[in-house]
Amino acid sequence: MTEVVSENSEVTVLLVDDNPQNLKVLYETLKDKGYRLLIANEGQKALDLAHRHQPEVILLDIMMPDMDGYEVCERLKADQATADCAVVFLSALDDLQAKVKGFSLGGADYISKPFQSLEVIARVKTHARVIRLERELQARNRELKGDQARILNSISEGIYGLDENGVIEFANPAAAQIMGCPVEELIGRNFFETHFATCQEGQDGLPGHTTCSQGVAENKRNIRMLRMDGSGFPAQYRSTPKLDQGELHGAVVVFDDITAELQSEAALEEARALVQEQRDQLAHASRLTTMGEMAAGFAHEVNQPLTAITNYARVSKRMMAKEEPDLGLLGETLDKIEAQSHRASEIIRRIRRFMKKPATGKEVISVPALLEDTRQFAEVDMRNNEGGIDLSVPNDLPDVTADPIQVQQVALNLIRNALEATRSADASIPVHVSAELLGSSCVRVQVRDHGIGLPDDAEDKLFLPFYTTKDEGMGIGLATCRSLIQAQGGDIGFERPEGGGACFYFTLPVAGSSGAPCAPEQPSGFEQG
């Protein structure tokens, strides 16, 4: 065996011939072409060199002692390390049968002796380039398969590759972990029979069946799948058709055990219900607090009609004591008694309506009527703060969907704050309450005062619990207002209007509207009071 290595050795060529003269000619022909050249003068040595160096091209003489070129070729192709080498036979045999035998054993080409240098150079160059490209392609394919395997192995969801009958052809480690058995035991099983208890009744309608049989993608949640031990678990899955040039070859099923997810959702729903209950209790407590602060004013308001009723009753008794009572005047006096009793009844009715705990659910309400009702309710605050309320609401304003008690509580809270802020600034301008339609799905209500305004840093914390700008405030009023308005599908905020003071606003969804929820935004052309 002789080994000669050229300086430029990107491509390796093995020359095999028992005739030293032929080897010399081949070597002289290829030595300056940039190949790494290996030389062997017998079959076994050629096999050893080929196994060690894995040449791209082997020029192989057929007629050799001990082991001819056919056997060498056959053993090269049987060795995984050398199977892809391009074997070019060299022989004086020029009959068709010899060539056919060579090709049948895996030979790539055939050069007849005596060979021509240019022919040898051209054939070697061609086969070397083909083998190099094939090896690069194989390396790239192995790299891609490796990447795919790493990706599939790293996915936490289970993945099945099914044939058109639902037989599992591929399963990733996550699928094996979810199902509680090795991947090898999943391969070859029928997906429907293994994982669905109702398969005995027929496979139609089972998850993934339509994808396998008709190529229709599916996506379902909270289905029940069986593990290998027969235990069940809730799962979500997606199945997509496996296509090759438009022909259906089964489906790829991605699934996951959502037991923990469903438990978290249930816990979250319980927490939401608890928060809602606490929010309702807080809102009710806020109304009771408001009611306590207003009790003295209401006592005075109710006392007025009761005093009037008492006086009118005394007058009526004196008129009836006369020998000839003026029945007409008596009737007018009784009418006044009735009117005053209605007034007292209305005041008590408003108090009871405000005090009651709101029923769950929303209703369609008229914003002008609700704000007028709120304005009347705030008359006590107007007197206490020596202020006024200017209500400006268009008649064609659409109705909104909300809880009227909660919205009235928010509006009353904002109006009371505005009256107090106006009095603290010794201003006499009435508080301006207005409403307008925003787009087609929201109604915006705003309360503008002419008080001293809000601190510069109020934006970030004004609606946070326990933040207050009042000396005796608890800081829960605006926080409660925000919770109440957001529960209606609206939002609440404030602005710093030109001319000082503050402007609080809230939005409510128009009844029957759909689309984006009401969000705070600056209305175009909104009138500042």
Side-chain angles (χ1 to χ4, degrees):
M1 178 185 68
T2 303
E3 180 176 345
V4 180
V5 179
S6 67
E7 292 182 358
N8 187 356
S9 56
E10 291 184 356
V11 174
T12 301
V13 179
L14 173 59
L15 311 176
V16 185
D17 199 312
D18 63 328
N19 187 324
Q21 185 61 34
N22 287 343
L23 284 177
K24 181 179 179 181
V25 173
L26 289 172
Y27 176 76
E28 292 295 333
T29 300
L30 299 172
K31 70 176 183 179
D32 297 327
K33 305 305 177 186
Y35 301 123
R36 180 174 185 248
L37 298 178
L38 305 176
I39 296 174
N41 57 2
E42 60 182 55
Q44 186 57 53
K45 293 178 180 178
L47 292 174
D48 293 340
L49 277 175
H51 187 79
R52 286 167 49 197
H53 298 282
Q54 300 173 15
E56 278 77 10
V57 181
I58 300 176
L59 298 181
L60 179 59
D61 185 26
I62 293 178
M63 303 301 292
M64 293 187 297
D66 299 331
M67 184 185 300
D68 63 18
Y70 294 134
E71 183 177 353
V72 172
C73 180
E74 191 172 13
R75 294 175 63 174
L76 285 171
K77 295 302 174 182
D79 186 346
Q80 187 175 3
T82 58
D84 67 341
C85 297
V87 177
V88 179
F89 287 110
L90 303 171
S91 178
L93 300 175
D94 197 24
D95 62 281
L96 178 60
Q97 188 175 4
K99 293 180 180 179
V100 170
K101 181 178 181 180
F103 288 129
S104 67
L105 295 174
D109 206 348
Y110 196 96
I111 299 176
S112 300
K113 293 180 180 179
F115 40 76
Q116 302 297 318
S117 297
L118 292 178
E119 181 184 10
V120 171
I121 293 171
R123 300 275 180 106
V124 169
K125 181 179 179 181
T126 299
H127 289 294
R129 186 169 184 273
V130 170
I131 294 300
R132 295 290 290 185
L133 291 175
E134 288 180 350
R135 288 184 175 180
E136 290 175 3
L137 181 60
Q138 292 172 359
R140 181 57 181 160
N141 287 337
R142 287 193 295 271
E143 183 179 346
L144 290 175
K145 289 181 179 178
D147 290 342
Q148 292 173 354
R150 283 189 289 274
I151 292 172
L152 292 174
N153 291 342
S154 64
I155 293 176
S156 60
E157 295 174 305
I159 300 176
Y160 279 150
L162 309 180
D163 69 9
E164 59 274 16
N165 297 314
V167 175
I168 300 174
E169 297 178 321
F170 168 83
N172 70 339
Q177 183 176 7
I178 294 172
M179 295 305 172
C181 73
V183 169
E184 295 74 18
E185 294 186 17
L186 291 171
I187 303 299
R189 288 181 173 271
N190 186 279
F191 172 71
F192 309 111
E193 297 174 354
T194 303
H195 298 307
F196 298 101
T198 58
C199 184
Q200 299 297 332
E201 303 169 4
Q203 296 183 356
D204 291 343
L206 291 179
H209 185 266
T210 304
T211 308
C212 286
S213 59
Q214 303 177 27
V216 179
E218 299 177 30
N219 185 357
K220 291 184 179 178
R221 188 172 188 270
N222 201 7
I223 63 170
R224 188 154 189 86
M225 293 182 67
L226 298 178
R227 296 187 180 88
M228 296 298 290
D229 61 2
S231 61
F233 65 93
Q236 65 177 5
Y237 85 99
R238 304 184 303 277
S239 63
T240 53
K242 191 168 60 177
L243 302 173
D244 184 8
Q245 297 181 348
E247 185 177 354
L248 182 62
H249 289 276
V252 176
V253 176
V254 181
F255 63 96
D256 197 9
D257 184 348
I258 59 172
T259 301
E261 186 177 337
L262 292 179
Q263 291 173 346
S264 298
E265 289 179 358
L268 179 61
E269 193 60 34
E270 291 180 3
R272 284 175 177 166
L274 180 60
V275 169
Q276 181 63 41
E277 181 182 355
Q278 292 176 343
R279 183 165 56 191
D280 293 342
Q281 292 176 351
L282 180 60
H284 188 58
S286 176
R287 283 198 302 280
L288 294 179
T289 301
T290 302
M291 198 67 250
E293 295 172 355
M294 300 172 69
F298 279 120
H300 173 74
E301 190 171 358
V302 174
N303 192 52
Q304 283 184 332
L306 293 179
T307 300
I309 290 171
T310 301
N311 292 335
Y312 287 136
R314 289 173 179 170
V315 171
S316 299
K317 288 176 65 177
R318 287 200 295 270
M319 285 190 293
M320 293 177 65
K322 293 180 179 180
E323 293 182 358
E324 295 181 359
D326 186 344
L327 296 180
L329 181 60
L330 180 61
E332 293 176 0
T333 304
L334 292 175
D335 289 341
K336 291 178 180 178
I337 291 175
E338 183 183 12
Q340 291 298 324
S341 66
H342 282 305
R343 179 186 172 190
S345 176
E346 177 62 21
I347 293 171
I348 294 172
R349 183 186 64 80
R350 278 194 274 125
I351 294 174
R352 293 183 62 185
R353 190 169 66 236
F354 186 79
M355 290 289 293
K356 75 175 184 180
K357 205 164 187 176
T360 56
K362 303 171 184 176
E363 57 186 77
V364 176
I365 57 177
S366 166
V367 175
L370 183 139
L371 292 180
E372 173 58 28
D373 200 23
T374 306
R375 188 193 66 77
Q376 295 179 14
F377 205 71
E379 287 180 352
V380 174
D381 290 286
M382 282 193 287
R383 286 196 298 272
N384 292 340
N385 292 285
E386 299 177 348
I389 298 174
D390 177 20
L391 182 60
S392 174
V393 183
N395 294 327
D396 59 348
L397 197 66
D399 293 341
V400 298
T401 302
D403 184 314
I405 300 299
Q406 294 187 350
V407 174
Q408 187 184 56
Q409 180 176 349
V410 173
L412 180 61
N413 197 327
L414 297 182
I415 290 173
R416 295 186 71 206
N417 289 345
L419 289 169
E420 293 173 358
T422 301
R423 185 189 63 175
S424 65
D426 294 327
S428 59
I429 304 175
V431 170
H432 187 68
V433 180
S434 58
E436 73 160 6
L437 178 64
L438 289 184
S440 60
S441 59
C442 290
V443 167
R444 167 171 156 147
V445 176
Q446 75 172 24
V447 179
R448 162 77 192 280
D449 67 55
H450 293 272
I452 59 176
L454 296 168
D456 294 337
D457 60 347
E459 279 83 351
D460 296 333
K461 47 191 177 182
L462 189 59
F463 292 96
L464 298 178
F466 309 115
Y467 173 80
T468 180
T469 59
K470 301 178 182 177
D471 294 337
E472 299 178 354
M474 295 179 60
I476 62 173
L478 290 178
T480 302
C481 288
R482 183 173 66 175
S483 297
L484 295 178
I485 288 299
Q486 289 179 343
Q488 313 305 314
D491 213 328
I492 190 170
F494 81 98
E495 299 165 349
R496 301 179 188 276
E498 295 181 2
C503 177
F504 283 82
Y505 64 87
F506 60 86
T507 58
L508 295 170
V510 171
S513 65
S514 60
C518 293
E521 57 181 304
Q522 181 65 38
S524 59
F526 194 85
E527 180 184 355
Q528 298 286 348

